[in-house]
Amino acid sequence: MKDNDIKRLLYAHLLCIFSVILSTFIPSLFLERFSILETHLTWLCICSVFVTAVNLVLYLVVKPNAPSKRSSLSHKVARFLKCCIYFLMSCFCFHVIFVLYGAPLIELVLETFLFAVILSTFTTVPCLCLLGPNIKAWLRVFSRNGVASIWENSLQITTISSFIGSWLGAFPIPLDWERPWQVWPISCTLGATFGYVAGLAVSPLWIYWNRKRLTYKNN
Amino acid sequence: MRLGSGTFAACCVAIEVLGVAIFLRGFFPVPVRSSSRTEHRAEPPAPEPSTGASSNWTKLPPPLFSKVVVVLIDALRDDFVFGSKGVKFMPYTTYLVEKGASHSFVAEAKPPTVTMPRIKALMTGSLPGFGDVVRNLNSPALLEDNVIRQAKAAGKRIIFYGDETWVKLFPKHFVEYDGTTSFFVSDYTEVDDNVTRHLEKVLTREDWDVLILHYLGLDHIGHLSGPDSPLIGHKLREMDSVLMKIHMALLSKEREALLPGLLVLCGDHGMSESGSHGASSMEEVNTALVLISSAFERKPGDIRHPKHVQQTDLAATLAIGLGLPIPKNSVGRLLFPVVEGKPMREQLRFLHLNTVQLSKLLQENVPLYEKDPGFEQFKMSEKLHGNWIKLYLEENSSEVLLNLGTKVLRQYLNALQTLSLSLSRQVAQYDIYSMAVGTTLVLEVLALLLLSVPKALGPAAELDMPLSSPLFSLLFYLTLLVLSAVHVVVCTSTESACYFCSVSWLAAGGAMLLMSALLCALVSALPKTVVGVKHVGKSPAPSSSRWSELDLLILLGTTGHVLSLGASSFIEEEHQTWYFLVSTLCLALCQEVYRNHFLSSDGDPRGGLHTEPGPEGATPVGAKGCALLEDDRTRAAASAFKRLGGTDQRMVLASPWAVLCCCRLLRALNQTGVQGAHRPDLGHWLTSSDHKAALSVLAALSLLAVFLLVQRRCSPMSKVALALGLLGVYCYRAAIGNVMSPWQRGNSDISKGIVEARFVYVFVLGILFTGTKDLLRSQVSAAGVPARTVGLWEIHSGLVLLAALLLRPHNLPVLVSSLLVQTLMAKCVWKPLNHGVAEVTVMHYWFGQAFFYFQGNSNNIATVDVSAGFVGLEHYVEVPAAFLTTFATYVGPILWASHLVNYLSSESSRRKGLPEGQRWVSVCAVRPCSL
């Protein structure tokens, strides 16, 4: 049962990684002069769309959490709308936090906002898919010893690694190597992406490694 | 020997300061300098050497040029004149360089490539070192011997137009001047028009000998849009036309005068590819230097490639050209092509003067100068020169004379090169031995501190210092012996002067004693700690609870910062690191606050997580115990949280965000660092004269806020004193014209504000005095805790008042936010969340560093605000000025340190808070130093 779960988790994560990789290659077939660094904003949008789509598909196919009791259409729609609002709110929150961290307030607004969008895609969207618009469940997952399944555990790992990735991504900006990617917010978005991919790759392995030690309250 | 924790920390800090001082002394050697620099009596010039017959040339040679015009273009990189840009945009100059009567050079400037040190280098010929900047803390006038002073003493009339730095450096030296400010970087036309508009008139006049023009526009364009901007082309074209105008005027004047004129075109520093300057890249260091005079005849087809020379060479050349003595501290050598056209005897005379000056400088700075190859060459060539003069006076055939003269000439040039090289090397030489001694001391202290950390966490606040242990005495004496042997060997063999050798034997012996004692202490402490760690490791339960995320962040942040100092751009942009860390810290605190909030509000009904660790039966014992401990701590914090009232809770929840917002606003106030220093910021907006009203309102509000934040814990008397003092601060600022005064006195009478400033000083001293009195009283009488708290807080408020006086008015919000953040953090974060002493101390340290940069400081010495040293003083007095400047520079760290003392002592439940805090501070401070 458990090994089976871990296998499913691994496949799901491989699919997510694949979607990130696809988002760097597919557009160059359709768009001329597409490259991650030069048309960075386009890539951000495409990557965000891809990752969101894959997450939604996974959610519909795998259904990691137990189906909710009320499943009327109106309830589903309300839930979906709520999710959208949460997503937008998280984008704005991230934007505000970036500005507080020192991002320029007036210049580069679009860039900063798209960075917020991609970071939300890596963090908020999986949370919304897995936990739904339920702040208390989120708090539970992200407090210590609050994880209830391997899905939640992997969610915790990927989210935190995306944050750490984007945090570390800010460090090269003041260095004077004069590289094209040392510009706000490219290094941070790249850091977030690498963090997300690393989290996706590492979390099944980590869970497999520690499968004896990990016990969840629900199973 | 048992030592109290506090004593131990204090000793460590003292030893560390000593080590760092020795290290710095080795790292920044004193610049080469003539000992008689303060007296300006004219020394008789060296007579021409001659053997046998006495020469009649004992006076200084007459000037070579009647009029000298120096056109200094800020940031004139070499390729702006000699490269493709020069060909394209400066046709006249290119023509002069390639075909005209001129000599062109690529002059290499030594870092720091900033205008003021470069002007000094150009005019004194010396290399202003780091120690130089510290020593005369912007006593604005240049005290060293320089060309301008010599020219004035010789009765030359000097006119200056351009950057007002010159006017500050050489006050009362110019018969006529017009300074332009380099403050508004965005203005690149008017600064230069203000210089050029005088030209028309001056060039027709006859009543001057030296004309100096300093054009700032090019540098401003570089800062604005870099070296490839189209604006550069326009500016270069403008400069070319200016040069043409001056050259034409000089040529027309020459017809009447006996001597030719000289036109010097030079840059003070270059321009990097991003348009800035200050560092030592090729683009910043290489500047153009073109000397134009009809004396430099050139046959057609004579191609002269620009030679690489030092920037300091210009001073000697100008001095010779004007017939002045060469500045005493000059390390430059005469640009020989300038005198090439003169008769052999004069050429030799000039070279001799320069060599004599350099060798004198060498004699005064190098103890073993006689062994220096340059000095030997100098003696040799002087002898040859003497022989040549003898032959000359005996009137031998010209052929022999010429051949011999060329030989002497070559000899002189070699001697000059060697001398100049060894003098410049003197400046750049590190004193390895002193550095090693300093490093050893600091590393030993650091190791000792780190070893004592586990012990300090234990219950006893005392430490065993095995200083008297007889077992180690053998090691002690052995080390001492080895060290003295090393000392003797190093000091007798070394060629260059070593600072540590020049101190008295007693002091050196003391340092060695200290080093070996520390080593012994270290060696004896090591096995104990290892045993202790093993013991802890064997016991089943972990000794302390697992580290929270915050601890992890603090540890990683501090380590990461230390590691980041390995990269030079991280040192230049250190403020970014601190801002980033402080923001992260706020977010981490925010996370902790919110978690506690949610746990306390709905943790219990939801159950499951922290209150019942029941189903964790399968977890190993250690992990479970750990989780339990962690749970305990979180639960304690959560329950403490619950006890707060509703509004208080909301305050707690909002405070990290408020701190974050404060920090962001302060970031926008002062741009600092190398890359960002020229971006527009609020500080510049406020200080520009158009926004004086806004600045006044801001300053008044800030002072009011300071009063409100500080007064609540003061005694009534110091409250009054504080209020009056802050009023005095505003009056002072109004008196010196920074802000508008509410009682209109008119803008005309701007005084130095001496009275107002001294009025404030009285209150500062009064508050500090009452604070100290309270503190002493609390020591004497038993019922001291409240008195002690009040006393400490009064000292804190006295420091705040002094800071309010010294900080520039646009920096007053920094002071307010510093106080605000302190209050918020203490009230809403540290107390409710029960942070440990170590955490609080490190956070204070981080905030202190961040506020240091919020003030607009950076790791560049140029950002030190020296104006604070003149507050309330009639004129420059060294000790108070140095003290005030240091205080104003380090206001942020000082205020945070004093707040730390207050906070820790007010938490009376923790008896050993203070000493432990001290220890953490010392650990924090030692680590960057030891790197």
Side-chain angles (χ1 to χ4, degrees):
Chain A
M1 164 68 195
K2 204 167 175 186
D3 283 350
N4 207 8
D5 258 0
I6 294 177
K7 215 176 264 173
R8 275 169 63 195
L9 180 77
L10 178 67
Y11 290 143
H13 280 191
L14 284 181
L15 205 60
C16 287
I17 296 176
F18 194 56
S19 76
V20 173
I21 295 171
L22 271 189
S23 73
T24 61
F25 287 115
I26 288 207
S28 55
L29 301 179
F30 303 105
L31 297 172
E32 270 178 44
R33 296 191 304 125
F34 173 86
S35 79
I36 294 186
L37 294 183
E38 274 153 36
T39 51
H40 191 68
L41 299 184
T42 331
W43 175 72
L44 282 185
C45 298
I46 293 171
C47 182
S48 165
V49 169
F50 268 58
V51 172
T52 316
V54 167
N55 266 305
L56 283 177
V57 168
L58 279 178
Y59 164 69
L60 292 175
V61 173
V62 183
K63 286 209 176 63
N65 49 348
S68 60
K69 290 152 214 159
R70 288 182 298 155
S71 54
S72 65
L73 187 67
S74 66
H75 177 70
K76 269 185 184 158
V77 168
R79 200 177 145 95
F80 182 73
L81 285 178
K82 220 173 168 186
C83 281
C84 289
I85 291 169
Y86 268 55
F87 178 74
L88 278 180
M89 266 170 60
S90 89
C91 289
F92 284 116
C93 271
F94 281 136
H95 191 109
V96 168
I97 288 176
F98 295 153
V99 170
L100 288 179
Y101 254 81
L105 182 65
I106 298 158
E107 305 143 33
L108 302 174
V109 177
L110 188 64
E111 280 86 347
T112 311
F113 187 73
L114 282 179
F115 174 35
V117 169
I118 195 114
L119 194 58
S120 304
T121 318
F122 291 150
T123 56
T124 319
V125 168
C127 286
L128 284 171
C129 287
L130 201 62
L131 308 168
N134 179 356
I135 289 285
K136 284 194 179 126
W138 292 26
L139 282 170
R140 174 175 59 78
V141 170
F142 289 105
S143 59
R144 195 173 282 171
N145 305 323
V147 200
S149 72
I150 54 167
W151 293 96
E152 291 180 2
N153 207 333
S154 70
L155 180 71
Q156 200 184 19
I157 292 171
T158 48
T159 310
I160 289 175
S161 62
S162 317
F163 281 136
I164 291 179
S166 48
W167 190 77
L168 289 178
F171 275 93
I173 295 179
L175 288 173
D176 56 358
W177 302 335
E178 317 229 328
R179 295 293 149 89
W181 47 267
Q182 270 184 313
V183 197
W184 170 259
I186 297 183
S187 66
C188 289
T189 52
L190 291 183
T193 316
F194 283 124
Y196 178 61
V197 170
L200 286 176
V202 164
S203 63
L205 298 178
W206 190 82
I207 291 171
Y208 181 73
W209 212 254
N210 294 308
R211 64 190 185 283
K212 294 266 159 53
R213 214 171 57 73
L214 290 170
T215 48
Y216 303 108
K217 279 151 224 154
N218 293 9
N219 32 335
Chain B
M1 194 167 93
R2 295 186 78 78
L3 276 179
S5 203
T7 334
F8 173 68
C11 286
C12 284
V13 171
I15 296 173
E16 179 216 327
V17 168
L18 183 75
V20 171
I22 294 177
F23 178 84
L24 287 182
R25 187 61 179 69
F27 194 69
F28 298 114
V30 186
V32 178
R33 161 135 320 151
S34 166
S35 57
S36 58
R37 90 183 166 105
T38 38
E39 1 172 336
H40 302 303
R41 63 192 162 78
E43 281 173 29
E48 198 170 31
S50 56
T51 41
S54 68
S55 154
N56 51 348
W57 280 18
T58 48
K59 287 204 202 97
L60 268 180
L64 302 178
F65 306 104
S66 59
K67 287 197 183 332
V68 174
V69 181
V70 178
V71 180
L72 202 169
I73 301 176
D74 219 279
L76 186 69
R77 201 160 88 176
D78 57 338
D79 69 325
F80 287 167
V81 179
F82 308 130
S84 61
K85 281 207 183 76
V87 175
K88 202 164 156 198
F89 301 119
M90 301 184 83
Y92 188 73
T93 318
T94 311
Y95 162 75
L96 284 178
V97 165
E98 283 174 358
K99 304 205 178 66
S102 71
H103 290 290
S104 45
F105 306 93
V106 175
E108 187 188 326
K110 285 268 186 286
T113 47
V114 188
T115 299
M116 172 144 75
R118 291 304 101 218
I119 295 176
K120 283 188 183 175
L122 279 171
M123 288 299 122
T124 64
S126 65
L127 300 168
F130 178 80
D132 194 38
V133 184
V134 174
R135 205 178 295 167
N136 42 33
L137 207 77
N138 197 44
S139 69
L142 184 58
L143 296 174
E144 264 179 79
D145 193 11
N146 58 60
V147 178
I148 305 275
R149 182 207 301 284
Q150 297 283 9
K152 182 156 187 277
K156 306 265 179 206
R157 290 152 300 175
I158 313 168
I159 294 182
F160 172 78
Y161 301 117
D163 187 359
E164 63 178 0
T165 316
W166 286 76
V167 183
K168 284 184 199 149
L169 280 176
F170 309 105
K172 297 184 191 148
H173 283 69
F174 305 119
V175 290
E176 191 182 313
Y177 62 82
D178 181 17
T180 56
T181 170
S182 65
F183 192 72
F184 300 104
V185 175
S186 51
D187 161 36
Y188 49 84
T189 45
E190 213 156 292
V191 270
D192 288 354
D193 289 346
N194 279 342
V195 178
T196 313
R197 68 189 161 134
H198 297 287
L199 271 186
E200 207 64 60
K201 240 183 286 160
V202 163
L203 288 178
T204 53
R205 276 161 36 188
E206 283 295 329
D207 59 342
W208 52 269
D209 303 298
V210 181
L211 171 64
I212 301 174
L213 308 169
H214 188 152
Y215 283 100
L216 284 168
L218 188 65
D219 186 42
H220 287 189
I221 292 176
H223 285 307
L224 277 179
S225 48
D228 296 321
S229 137
L231 291 172
I232 295 271
H234 289 290
K235 186 49 79 179
L236 288 179
R237 225 173 249 139
E238 183 193 331
M239 291 295 116
D240 195 47
S241 67
V242 167
L243 208 75
M244 185 158 100
K245 195 190 276 173
I246 299 171
H247 192 220
M248 290 301 163
L250 273 183
L251 285 180
S252 70
K253 273 185 202 304
E254 261 170 33
R255 283 183 213 121
E256 300 124 43
L258 288 169
L259 289 170
L262 173 69
L263 172 57
V264 181
L265 170 72
C266 61
D268 55 347
H269 49 72
M271 185 190 288
S272 73
E273 280 311 309
S274 62
S276 70
H277 56 87
S280 53
S281 69
M282 285 295 278
E283 291 85 12
E284 286 159 275
V285 162
N286 285 343
T287 65
L289 173 61
V290 185
L291 305 177
I292 306 159
S293 168
S294 48
F296 309 148
E297 294 152 13
R298 155 141 76 172
K299 295 179 204 94
D302 177 10
I303 298 164
R304 296 168 177 169
H305 287 292
K307 263 194 299 184
H308 273 264
V309 295
Q310 292 296 316
Q311 200 177 32
T312 45
D313 297 347
L314 185 64
T317 312
L318 276 182
I320 297 276
L322 286 165
L324 307 167
I326 300 171
K328 286 193 196 96
N329 298 328
S330 159
V331 297
R333 51 206 164 103
L334 175 66
L335 296 172
F336 184 66
V338 173
V339 295
E340 228 166 9
K342 296 277 153 193
M344 179 61 82
R345 189 177 178 189
E346 280 181 39
Q347 286 183 28
L348 289 179
R349 174 89 178 117
F350 293 136
L351 287 173
H352 177 243
L353 282 176
N354 196 353
T355 352
V356 166
Q357 177 261 332
L358 282 182
S359 63
K360 244 187 212 157
L361 196 62
L362 190 78
Q363 277 180 37
E364 278 160 4
N365 283 288
V366 183
L368 300 166
Y369 64 91
E370 272 154 353
K371 280 186 196 156
D372 195 280
F375 194 75
E376 282 166 8
Q377 284 177 11
F378 159 64
K379 281 288 162 205
M380 171 82 100
S381 31
E382 199 172 36
K383 218 162 94 197
L384 280 176
H385 188 183
N387 287 336
W388 187 86
I389 295 289
K390 200 173 150 201
L391 283 179
Y392 179 84
L393 292 177
E394 286 165 7
E395 285 172 58
N396 273 33
S397 70
S398 61
E399 184 117 350
V400 177
L401 272 179
L402 190 70
N403 282 344
L404 201 62
T406 327
K407 212 170 137 199
V408 180
L409 206 75
R410 215 173 297 132
Q411 190 80 21
Y412 261 130
L413 287 176
N414 282 340
L416 268 182
Q417 186 169 8
T418 327
L419 276 172
S420 175
L421 209 69
S422 61
L423 277 169
S424 325
R425 204 185 300 133
Q426 196 72 20
V427 176
Q429 202 166 44
Y430 298 137
D431 181 352
I432 305 278
Y433 183 47
S434 309
M435 276 161 72
V437 170
T439 320
T440 321
L441 272 178
V442 170
L443 283 182
E444 280 176 347
V445 170
L446 176 68
L448 209 59
L449 271 173
L450 287 182
L451 282 181
S452 69
V453 165
K455 257 186 248 172
L457 297 177
E462 286 190 330
L463 288 158
D464 238 351
M465 277 287 96
L467 282 183
S468 52
S469 162
L471 185 69
F472 288 98
S473 54
L474 184 63
L475 177 67
F476 175 69
Y477 289 121
L478 275 179
T479 342
L480 196 59
L481 210 64
V482 170
L483 283 178
S484 6
V486 167
H487 186 75
V488 169
V489 168
V490 168
C491 288
T492 48
S493 74
T494 188
E495 285 188 359
S496 65
C498 182
Y499 169 70
F500 206 62
C501 294
S502 61
V503 302
S504 75
W505 273 94
L506 215 62
M512 283 186 283
L513 216 67
L514 204 64
M515 265 159 75
S516 33
L518 279 174
L519 188 69
C520 290
L522 206 64
V523 168
S524 65
L526 201 64
K528 277 187 193 174
T529 323
V530 171
V531 169
V533 167
K534 265 187 193 160
H535 183 71
V536 167
K538 271 177 200 162
S539 68
S543 56
S544 57
S545 64
R546 257 170 75 189
W547 287 3
S548 68
E549 290 91 344
L550 194 71
D551 291 336
L552 208 64
L553 171 70
I554 282 174
L555 188 75
L556 287 182
T558 314
T559 331
H561 165 246
V562 172
L563 291 181
S564 80
L565 293 184
S568 67
S569 26
F570 272 130
I571 298 181
E572 284 165 7
E573 308 287 321
E574 200 190 341
H575 59 288
Q576 301 283 14
T577 317
W578 284 117
Y579 297 166
F580 200 61
L581 284 179
V582 165
S583 311
T584 314
L585 179 71
C586 286
L587 278 191
L589 286 174
C590 193
Q591 180 251 2
E592 204 173 324
V593 163
Y594 277 77
R595 200 174 59 193
N596 284 327
H597 172 73
F598 284 109
L599 284 180
S600 67
S601 63
D602 61 6
D604 295 352
R606 282 183 57 82
L609 307 181
H610 290 264
T611 43
E612 40 164 320
E616 293 184 7
T619 48
V621 184
K624 188 180 169 189
C626 168
L628 273 175
L629 273 169
E630 172 67 18
D631 280 355
D632 273 349
R633 199 187 146 188
T634 336
R635 212 181 312 153
S639 62
F641 215 83
K642 227 184 210 171
R643 263 177 269 129
L644 294 170
T647 42
D648 278 351
Q649 258 190 26
R650 242 167 281 140
M651 281 267 291
V652 171
L653 289 181
S655 59
W657 294 107
V659 173
L660 213 50
C661 290
C662 261
C663 291
R664 183 64 180 92
L665 285 179
L666 291 183
R667 258 174 107 131
L669 189 64
N670 284 310
Q671 294 280 9
T672 179
V674 172
Q675 293 177 8
H678 305 288
R679 287 185 206 141
D681 55 22
L682 278 178
H684 280 147
W685 186 83
L686 282 170
T687 39
S688 77
S689 52
D690 303 340
H691 306 109
K692 207 168 167 184
L695 184 65
S696 313
V697 172
L698 187 72
L701 285 181
S702 307
L703 291 175
L704 192 68
V706 167
F707 177 70
L708 291 178
L709 283 168
V710 174
Q711 52 89 29
R712 66 208 154 86
R713 279 157 68 184
C714 282
S715 63
M717 206 169 75
S718 27
K719 252 182 224 181
V720 176
L722 187 68
L724 285 175
L726 289 174
L727 202 65
V729 171
Y730 193 85
C731 293
Y732 169 71
R733 286 295 164 192
I736 65 167
N738 287 132
V739 296
M740 284 197 253
S741 84
W743 42 92
Q744 288 289 331
R745 288 188 307 179
N747 284 342
S748 53
D749 53 340
I750 288 171
S751 68
K752 284 170 102 178
I754 307 280
V755 183
E756 288 88 347
R758 290 195 176 157
F759 176 77
V760 181
Y761 282 137
V762 168
F763 284 111
V764 171
L765 289 180
I767 296 175
L768 286 179
F769 177 72
T770 32
T772 324
K773 199 185 69 191
D774 282 346
L775 212 60
L776 287 178
R777 215 178 52 206
S778 77
Q779 294 287 344
V780 173
S781 69
V785 177
R788 198 175 105 178
T789 320
V790 172
L792 280 175
W793 186 262
E794 267 166 3
I795 290 180
H796 182 63
S797 55
L799 293 180
V800 169
L801 182 55
L802 186 58
L805 176 66
L806 296 184
L807 283 180
R808 299 267 180 120
H810 74 270
N811 267 341
L812 282 174
V814 179
L815 185 66
V816 177
S817 344
S818 154
L819 294 170
L820 189 72
V821 171
Q822 282 168 1
T823 319
L824 276 179
M825 290 298 248
K827 241 176 131 180
C828 304
V829 180
W830 293 324
K831 262 182 207 164
L833 290 183
N834 275 329
H835 282 293
V837 176
E839 286 167 353
V840 171
T841 311
V842 177
M843 283 189 232
H844 270 94
Y845 175 69
W846 284 21
F847 273 109
Q849 291 293 321
F851 274 90
F852 174 74
Y853 293 105
F854 283 142
Q855 267 170 261
N857 290 325
S858 72
N859 284 338
N860 186 346
I861 188 93
T863 51
V864 173
D865 176 17
V866 278
S867 71
F870 297 89
V871 172
L873 299 177
E874 285 281 5
H875 35 73
Y876 182 76
V877 193
E878 190 157 348
V879 177
F883 169 75
L884 290 178
T885 313
T886 318
F887 183 83
T889 313
Y890 289 99
V891 158
I894 289 173
L895 285 185
W896 279 89
S898 105
H899 184 262
L900 177 70
V901 173
N902 270 294
Y903 178 77
L904 290 182
S905 73
S906 70
E907 297 287 278
S908 53
S909 60
R910 294 183 190 129
R911 278 280 163 210
K912 62 175 179 117
L914 259 180
E916 206 195 318
Q918 261 178 28
R919 189 206 317 283
W920 280 102
V921 167
S922 51
V923 170
C924 283
V926 171
R927 292 201 321 173
C929 293
S930 61
L931 203 86

